């Protein structure tokens, strides 16, 4: 299933590099080739490592992978047609069907190409082709080309990680004595720390250093005015009513976090999840990550486990203690990590119920789903040219497995749910307000709330 690419029933067209000078155009023209060049350089720099591990076969694999990636870079830069995947991975057929559907929308006159197709689609497609190039060249099929940047981002944010772990330990040591108002204050702070952790996105900086070096707690007051939509109260109310319902029905409260970036952002998500469990606001937290390396810095199962191991091994009392606590949350089943091929496909989330019914049904078991970051936001609202005042619920186009909240710093030119005049005012002061990563939203939607209204 796929939403059509023209304005139908008030649904605007997808953002695309067709519009010369647009952010999508500049991304496809400049940022994507830069990322591909870095990937090629990373593989080439590790040539000796591949030789040491796999001998001549490793060198051949390195050469062939670089050949495939260079070919793709050329296709991208010269606006060649998008071609079907040739690997035999489980999602290849789904990708190729998606391409066929796009070709039908384009008609026979024009092929689906890098600059003429939806930006969301071609950007996702590039990362899937990177994965294909590696997969077709064993023995380096499992190599994560983005691992170095993710690891570096984590270590360069150490000071901020220590600060936030110390802050969490301070809350945990006194959690039984906190009033509901104090719990709400802590919840608000940690929700905002998780929100601003999303600034650390390596795909936006094309892989440049983007670590967190300042104290995340001290920055919150000055960042407050930059939150354009702040539905924290609605998120809190959802958790409180879920808690009340769970007590009366003797059930549990479950929060799902659809993760974005590894490094400092993942730590902020783990800290928030720890607080939710320690405070009794949630009984279990399900984390959803990516099944393959994705968008430079997105969390994979390896990144998730590695981050917890590193926190445990830290030469810092609070950090290490918190790390061991996270390990026990996983061991006890209070926390769990999941991935699904749908998260690394190009679909808008309104297609999920039809194209990944198992995942949709899984999310329906949550009392609240937090969607982290820009790519998730783009998929939530279809990465379309929406008017800024269109309601978040409308832009979701029927997607709503559970009450949900987007925690996003703005790095793409799509934003809905603003007040009349708000976008115009921002544009007059800062023309690039949607893409500079300075502004953020905590945007909530629940079909239940809509029914009450």
């Amino acid at each position: 299933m796929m939403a059509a690419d023209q304005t139908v029933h008030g649904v605007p067209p997808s953002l695309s590099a067709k519009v010369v000078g647009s952010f999508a155009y500049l991304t496809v023209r400049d940022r994507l080739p830069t990322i591909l060049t870095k990937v090629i350089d990373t593989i080439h720099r590790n040539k000796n490592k591949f030789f040491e591990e796999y001998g001549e076969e490793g060198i051949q694999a390195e050469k062939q992978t670089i050949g495939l990636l260079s070919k793709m870079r050329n296709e991208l830069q010269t606006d060649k047609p998008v071609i079907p995947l040739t690997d035999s991975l489980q999602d290849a057929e789904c990708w190729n069907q998606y391409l066929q559907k796009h070709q039908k929308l384009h008609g026979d006159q024009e092929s689906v190409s890098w600059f003429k197709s939806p930006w969301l689609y071609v950007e996702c497609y590039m990362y899937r082709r990177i994965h294909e190039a590696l997969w077709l060249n064993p023995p380096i099929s499992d190599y994560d080309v983005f691992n170095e940047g993710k690891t570096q981002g984590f270590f360069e944010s150490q000071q901020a990680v220590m600060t936030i772990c110390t802050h969490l330990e301070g809350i945990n040591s006194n959690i039984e004595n906190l009033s509901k108002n104090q719990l709400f204050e802590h919840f608000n702070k940690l929700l905002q720390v998780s929100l601003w952790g999303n600034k650390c996105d390596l795909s936006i900086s094309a892989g440049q250093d983007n670590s967190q070096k300042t104290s995340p707690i001290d920055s919150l007051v000055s960042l407050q005015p930059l939150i354009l939509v702040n539905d924290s109260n609605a998120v809190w109310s959802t958790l409180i009513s879920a808690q009340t319902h769970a007590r009366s029905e003797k059930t549990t409260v479950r929060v799902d976090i659809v993760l974005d970036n590894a490094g400092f952002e993942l730590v902020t998500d783990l800290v928030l999840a720890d607080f939710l469990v320690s405070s009794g606001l949630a009984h279990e937290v399900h984390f959803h990550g990516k099944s393959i390396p994705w968008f430079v810095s997105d969390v994979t199962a390896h990144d998730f486990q590695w981050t917890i191991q590193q926190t445990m091994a830290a030469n810092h009392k609070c950090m290490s203690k918190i790390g061991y606590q996270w390990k026990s949350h996983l061991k006890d089943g209070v926390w769990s990590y999941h991935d699904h091929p749908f998260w690394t496909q190009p679909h808008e989330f309104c297609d999920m119920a039809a194209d990944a019914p198992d995942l949709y049904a899984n999310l329906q078991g949550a009392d609240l789903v937090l969607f982290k970051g820009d790519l998730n936001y783009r998929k939530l609202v279809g990465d379309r040219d929406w008017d800024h005042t269109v309601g978040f619920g409308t832009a979701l186009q029927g997607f709503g497995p559970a009450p949900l909240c987007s925690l996003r710093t703005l790095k793409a030119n799509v934003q809905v749910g603003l007040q009349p005049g708000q976008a115009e005012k921002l544009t007059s002061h800062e023309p690039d307000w949607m893409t500079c990563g300075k502004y953020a939203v905590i945007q909530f939607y629940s079909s239940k709330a809509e029914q009450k209204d």
Side-chain angles (χ1 to χ4, degrees):
M1 298 293 291
M2 187 173 69
D5 195 36
Q6 52 276 350
T7 303
V8 181
H9 307 306
V11 177
S14 303
L15 298 175
S16 161
K18 269 190 286 207
V19 183
V20 176
S22 66
F23 189 68
Y25 172 82
L26 297 172
T27 298
V28 176
R29 190 194 69 181
D30 302 333
R31 189 154 51 86
L32 298 191
T34 301
I35 288 168
L36 268 178
T37 301
K38 283 200 164 229
V39 168
I40 291 166
D41 290 349
T42 300
I43 293 169
H44 187 63
R45 259 193 301 107
N46 283 278
K47 191 176 175 175
N48 291 344
K49 175 181 181 274
F50 299 143
F51 180 69
E52 281 164 26
E53 286 183 31
Y54 311 113
E56 197 51 46
E57 211 185 338
I59 296 291
Q60 276 307 108
E62 177 258 353
K63 270 189 197 149
Q64 284 167 317
T65 304
I66 286 176
L68 289 173
L69 293 172
S70 301
K71 178 179 172 286
M72 171 166 58
R73 183 174 57 187
N74 179 260
E75 289 166 17
L76 189 168
Q77 291 178 307
T78 53
D79 194 25
K80 291 283 187 296
V82 168
I83 58 174
L85 297 173
T86 59
D87 60 45
S88 53
L89 290 164
Q90 69 175 101
D91 65 339
E93 192 184 340
C94 180
W95 274 93
N96 292 341
Q97 284 171 355
Y98 198 87
L99 171 57
Q100 284 166 8
K101 285 174 186 167
H102 261 288
Q103 191 56 69
K104 275 183 193 160
L105 286 175
H106 273 251
D108 299 330
Q109 301 83 29
E110 196 177 51
S111 59
V112 175
S113 69
W114 287 87
F115 281 80
K116 296 184 193 82
S117 304
W119 167 32
L120 178 65
Y121 170 41
V122 295
E123 191 167 15
C124 290
Y125 172 77
M126 181 188 84
Y127 288 99
R128 182 57 180 81
R129 283 274 301 274
I130 292 170
H131 187 62
E132 178 190 51
L134 284 152
W135 193 86
L136 290 172
N137 287 295
I140 66 168
S141 308
D142 294 332
Y143 180 66
D144 182 350
V145 290
F146 304 124
N147 186 58
E148 289 175 16
K150 290 186 278 193
T151 305
Q152 188 184 348
F154 176 82
F155 286 125
E156 288 181 353
S157 304
Q158 283 300 279
Q159 205 49 55
V161 172
M162 287 175 197
T163 305
I164 193 174
C165 285
T166 306
H167 181 77
L168 178 65
E169 181 51 29
I171 298 170
N172 284 350
S173 63
N174 190 37
I175 207 139
E176 267 88 48
N177 305 319
L178 296 176
S179 67
K180 197 169 171 184
N181 281 351
Q182 287 170 318
L183 271 182
F184 175 58
E185 273 175 40
H186 286 305
F187 165 77
N188 244 338
K189 265 187 189 171
L190 294 179
L191 193 70
Q192 285 179 37
V193 167
S194 175
L195 168 72
W196 293 112
N198 182 242
K199 278 185 126 166
C200 307
D201 186 333
L202 295 173
S203 79
I204 298 302
S205 57
Q208 298 295 318
D209 167 30
N210 213 358
S211 54
Q212 174 77 25
K213 295 187 173 73
T214 55
S215 163
I217 307 294
D218 296 347
S219 316
L220 292 181
V221 175
S222 61
L223 291 169
Q224 191 80 37
L226 305 175
I227 304 175
L228 304 178
V229 177
N230 190 345
D231 292 335
S232 305
N233 288 354
V235 181
W236 172 257
S237 299
T238 299
L239 285 170
I240 293 300
S241 62
Q243 193 184 46
T244 308
H245 180 261
R247 278 191 193 128
S248 65
E249 298 293 318
K250 296 192 167 43
T251 54
T252 55
V253 177
R254 176 181 136 195
V255 173
D256 284 32
I257 304 179
V258 183
L259 299 166
D260 190 19
N261 299 304
F264 178 71
E265 181 176 359
L266 176 56
V267 174
T268 66
D269 300 336
L270 296 171
V271 164
L272 176 62
D274 189 309
F275 171 76
L276 292 174
V277 168
S278 303
S279 63
L281 286 166
H283 303 104
E284 50 180 309
V285 177
H286 290 203
F287 297 94
H288 300 268
K290 307 296 193 299
S291 50
I292 61 173
W294 196 247
F295 274 66
V296 185
S297 44
D298 283 20
V299 178
T300 62
H302 171 267
D303 300 324
F304 188 82
Q305 298 294 347
W306 181 88
T307 302
I308 291 175
Q309 291 295 341
Q310 291 301 319
T311 309
M312 286 163 66
N315 188 17
H316 182 272
K317 195 178 161 193
C318 284
M319 203 169 148
S320 177
K321 186 179 176 184
I322 294 287
Y324 276 95
Q325 194 162 298
W326 294 347
K327 185 81 175 166
S328 75
H329 288 333
L330 282 171
K331 193 165 163 280
D332 300 339
V334 174
W335 282 5
S336 54
Y337 176 89
H338 309 261
D339 51 35
H340 190 285
F342 187 83
W343 301 123
T344 49
Q345 285 169 3
H347 301 73
E348 304 171 27
F349 289 163
C350 62
D351 295 338
M352 188 192 289
D355 289 348
D358 56 332
L359 177 60
Y360 194 85
N362 183 308
L363 294 179
Q364 285 177 311
D367 294 285
L368 172 69
V369 186
L370 299 175
F371 285 91
K372 291 301 306 288
D374 210 59
L375 178 60
N376 279 324
Y377 191 85
R378 289 168 62 193
K379 288 186 169 190
L380 281 166
V381 302
D383 208 36
R384 293 174 175 276
D385 192 16
W386 293 105
D387 188 285
H388 299 305
T389 56
V390 163
F392 186 38
T394 302
L396 290 170
Q397 299 176 76
F399 178 73
L404 61 90
C405 177
S406 167
L407 299 176
R408 171 222 189 190
T409 57
L410 280 62
K411 301 164 202 151
N413 55 335
V414 57
Q415 179 58 55
V416 297
L418 297 185
Q419 297 301 314
Q422 195 177 1
E424 290 76 5
K425 195 176 171 188
L426 285 160
T427 305
S428 68
H429 294 301
E430 256 171 299
D432 66 343
W433 64 274
M434 276 187 284
T435 56
C436 63
K438 176 178 167 183
Y439 294 95
V441 292
I442 299 173
Q443 210 155 12
F444 176 81
Y445 172 76
S446 168
S447 56
K448 291 173 195 163
E450 212 168 63
Q451 284 155 19
K452 279 177 202 165
D453 296 345

